Each structure stands twice: as C-alpha cells, then as structure tokens.
Amino acid sequence: MNKTGFIFDLDGVIVDTAKYHYLAWRKLANELGFEFTQEQNELFKGVSRKRCLEILLEIGNVKASQEQFSRWLVEKNEDYLSLIEEMDESEILPDVLKVLQFLKKHNMPIALGSASKNARPILEKVKLMDYFDVIVDGTHVAKAKPDPEVFLIAAKQLGVPPKDCIVFEDAVAGIEAANNAGMLSIGIGDDKVLAEAKFVFANFTEIDNQFLNKLIGLTP
Ligand code: BG6
Ligand code: MG
C-alpha cells in the first residue's frame, strides 16, 4: 500500500503566529498614519510578505517608492522577529503534538509547506524540527498560495504522489492551493470561511484517533 504524505502549514496551524504578524503590520500602518484591524489581517493569512505589504498600502492608500517598499518590508520583519524572539513550546497550538506523534508512530512522511521565510527558526524555537522529514518554506517557492507550488515541491521531496497527500491549512488561499495540487485538504478554523476544504475542524483537539486511522488507511 502506498504511504500517505502529510503536509502542514505553519502559521495558524502549528503555532498562532498570526497575532504577531498582525502586531507588526499594525505598527507599520500606524507609523504610516492609518489603522489596520484584526479583520483586515484575515486577508493576510497564507499570503507572502511582499503581497501583504502591497495590500496594506492599498488599505492605507499609500504610494511607495521601490526604496520605501523594500525598507518597510525589512522593518516589518524586524519587528516580527523581535515579537517571536521569546517564542517557545508553549505556543504550539493544542493537540498539534498529539497528531504529529501519532503520524510519527505510524511512520508517515511529514512535511512543512509554509509561505513564511521564518519557518525554520520558528520550528527550532518550538522544538518541532525533528518531526519534519521535509521543510518547504517561503525561501523555496516562486509562486504564492493559492498556487499549488509549495505543496507540490513538498510532495516531490517526500516521494509521495500529490493524490496521496493530505494538507492541513488555516488559510483560504492555502486550502485552494491544496485543492489545486490535487491533494486532500483539511481546514483548521472556521468551516464557513474554509468552505472549500474537504474536512474542517476548529482545531486539532477535534481530530480523534478514529479519523487519523482513516487518514493513514488503517480503517476504511
Ligand atoms: C504565512 C502567513 O504563513 O507566511 C502570512 O500566514 C505571512 O501571514 C507569510 O505573511 C509570510 O511570512 P514571513 O514570515 O515570511 O513574513
Ligand atoms: Mg497559515
């Protein structure tokens, strides 16, 4: 029997870093003279840093020179990095470890598929590096989600055909990317927002062993 490949998004699936991204973007928006709400931050989930800045400037109706644009990207990331500096295992979202340990116990291939260029240092901080056979992050991809590139690279590196891969995602763009890759998409979050996902759970505490056994093909 073919193995199933498991691909996890990072931000909002493994750790709740969306709040730190939000604080860093809000600081920049405030410096530029406008407000940036939590609601608007929803648009930033799964979206590359560069695209986030483009959207932020559209929201604030701010025009930027090339030089300003590059400087603000660096500034936002520096603020974000200082916010995540103290991050540790306590910030792993509930029952993520339970699922990772279950998959490891059954020798399932596991990959990270994230848009973030900060994915590796974050996995190191929360001490989860050892669970991942493959890490594909924002430094490896040219096309952002909903393009399936990040997940297709992960599948290739895992040595598992895309149709045998399962993706855990919290972003609409990420669910679309998984569907575009021909993979089974599992949304983590609000089922109304993630309506395109094959299955949706509010968080990993809702995923039980019976469902996990089905995913790895132990039970029909
Ligand atoms: C995604 C986040 O995982 O990574 C986005 O959901 C973020 O909000 C993107 O913009 C890029 O992250 P980073 O760490 O490279 O700025
Ligand atoms: Mg995410």
Side-chain angles (χ1 to χ4, degrees):
M1 196 182 70
N2 282 343
K3 284 230 161 152
T4 304
F6 286 83
I7 308 177
F8 290 77
D9 173 49
L10 176 70
D11 296 312
V13 169
I14 292 177
V15 283
D16 184 17
T17 33
K19 62 184 179 214
Y20 300 125
H21 279 295
Y22 170 63
L23 291 173
W25 285 124
R26 191 181 65 181
K27 180 167 172 278
L28 179 63
N30 292 350
E31 279 167 18
L32 296 176
F34 62 96
E35 279 309 316
F36 176 56
T37 66
Q38 300 249 27
E39 232 168 44
Q40 289 165 330
N41 189 53
E42 285 300 305
L43 298 173
F44 284 37
K45 290 188 175 169
V47 174
S48 73
R49 194 183 309 165
K50 188 166 160 280
R51 183 65 197 133
C52 287
L53 180 55
E54 286 167 3
I55 304 173
L56 192 82
L57 296 180
E58 279 164 28
I59 292 171
N61 207 4
V62 173
K63 300 266 171 294
S65 66
Q66 275 300 82
E67 189 269 327
Q68 281 171 318
F69 193 91
S70 309
R71 184 151 44 82
W72 292 337
L73 273 186
V74 171
E75 191 183 316
K76 184 268 168 180
N77 194 49
E78 281 170 356
D79 288 332
Y80 176 67
L81 289 178
S82 66
L83 287 165
I84 61 167
E85 203 178 329
E86 305 289 322
M87 225 178 145
D88 62 21
E89 304 97 292
S90 65
E91 304 217 28
I92 299 173
L93 285 165
D95 277 357
V96 166
L97 263 178
K98 175 194 79 178
V99 174
L100 286 172
Q101 281 164 356
F102 176 95
L103 298 175
K104 268 275 165 253
K105 193 174 107 195
H106 291 88
N107 286 317
M108 292 291 135
I110 306 176
L112 190 86
S114 167
S116 172
K117 294 184 172 159
N118 295 303
R120 273 180 182 272
I122 291 175
L123 283 184
E124 273 161 17
K125 279 178 200 298
V126 300
K127 303 201 167 54
L128 287 181
M129 280 294 263
D130 290 348
Y131 285 94
F132 293 89
D133 303 298
V134 160
I135 292 174
V136 186
D137 64 26
T139 65
H140 303 114
V141 292
K143 296 177 222 142
K145 299 170 186 175
D147 190 282
E149 184 184 24
V150 60
F151 296 140
L152 292 175
I153 296 175
K156 194 166 187 198
Q157 291 189 12
L158 286 176
V160 178
K163 68 170 180 41
D164 295 331
C165 288
I166 296 174
V167 174
F168 293 98
E169 255 293 349
D170 70 314
V172 175
I175 293 294
E176 262 184 71
N179 292 342
N180 288 338
M183 301 177 178
L184 185 138
S185 54
I186 301 184
I188 301 294
D190 186 332
D191 57 0
K192 286 179 222 58
V193 178
L194 304 174
E196 297 301 316
K198 178 81 178 167
F199 300 99
V200 182
F201 297 94
N203 54 57
F204 284 97
T205 63
E206 287 194 350
I207 299 184
D208 58 18
N209 277 16
Q210 198 188 345
F211 183 74
L212 290 172
N213 275 323
K214 266 192 199 162
L215 292 184
I216 66 170
L218 272 185
T219 55

